[in-house]
């Protein structure tokens, strides 16, 4: 989002899949509550190994413990060093003014475990809706998916992308 806003002439389209851009919708009640909970959780977080972080992240949402293969552990180690996505400041007016087509894709979270849906899905779905309104994007929800529509329903996501690009 930041790169596209900085150089809109270099972007042909923008697609966000399950964006965790909480700052774009921080005034929405469900997103504001998620921000508060995330900040409190991270403030109390001890130093964790990537494996401990993966277990804690899954356990806090009621999800089964993920595998800890080399790729997943490398990704977790990288995530532990990055700024969290919900704190990124976003240039919404620049994105709204950009002439390229914009699409935000989210899951419906219908079949996700209760705590995962409530703590993750509800604020992420609100983020997607509000961000789409604020940047002038189309918002599409992919039935049968939660946080990973690109994995859980790739054919649906590919169809959305093809439609976006053919109209760009």
């Amino acid at each position: 989002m930041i790169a596209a806003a900085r150089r809109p002439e270099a972007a042909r389209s923008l697609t966000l899949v399950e964006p965790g851009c909480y700052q774009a919708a921080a005034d929405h009640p469900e997103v504001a509550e998620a921000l508060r909970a995330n900040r409190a959780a991270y403030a109390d977080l001890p130093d964790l190994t990537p494996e401990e972080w993966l277990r804690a992240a899954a356990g806090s949402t009621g999800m089964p413990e993920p595998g800890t293969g080399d790729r997943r552990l490398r990704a977790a180690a990288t995530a532990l060093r990055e700024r969290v996505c919900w704190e990124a400041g976003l240039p919404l007016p620049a994105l709204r003014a950009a002439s390229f087509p914009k699409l935000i894709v989210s899951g419906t979270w219908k079949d996700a475990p209760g705590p995962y849906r409530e703590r993750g899905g509800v604020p992420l779905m609100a983020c997607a809706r509000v961000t789409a309104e604020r940047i002038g994007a189309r918002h599409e929800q992919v039935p049968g998916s939660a946080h990973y529509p690109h994995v859980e329903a790739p054919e649906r996501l590919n169809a959305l992308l093809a439609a976006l690009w053919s109209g760009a």
Side-chain angles (χ1 to χ4, degrees), residues 48-110:
L48 298 173
T49 67
E51 191 170 350
E52 290 168 332
W53 184 79
L54 285 170
R55 277 199 304 272
S60 70
T61 61
M63 293 298 292
E65 191 171 307
T68 55
D70 286 347
R71 286 183 70 192
R72 189 174 295 253
L73 288 173
R74 277 194 313 274
T78 299
L80 283 167
R81 292 188 306 269
E82 293 176 343
R83 172 181 58 182
V84 291
C85 62
W86 59 80
E87 296 295 358
L90 300 168
L92 301 181
L95 286 169
R96 182 165 195 81
S99 61
F100 51 76
K102 301 160 209 95
L103 171 66
I104 298 182
V105 180
S106 60
T108 59
W109 292 77
K110 183 180 171 210

Side-chain angles (χ1 to χ4, degrees), residues 1 4 11-21 95-96 98-107 127-142 149-150 153-168:
M1 293 175 75
R12 294 203 176 166
S13 66
L14 175 68
T15 299
L16 307 172
V17 178
E18 282 293 317
C21 51
L95 286 169
R96 182 165 195 81
S99 61
F100 51 76
K102 301 160 209 95
L103 171 66
I104 298 182
V105 180
S106 60
C127 263
R129 286 190 309 272
V130 172
T131 302
E133 291 169 13
R134 292 181 176 171
I135 69 169
R138 192 171 92 233
H139 176 229
E140 294 281 346
Q141 284 191 286
V142 175
H150 54 294
E155 66 292 336
R156 176 73 175 125
L157 180 62
N158 288 342
L160 291 169
L161 290 171
L164 178 75
W165 295 333
S166 68

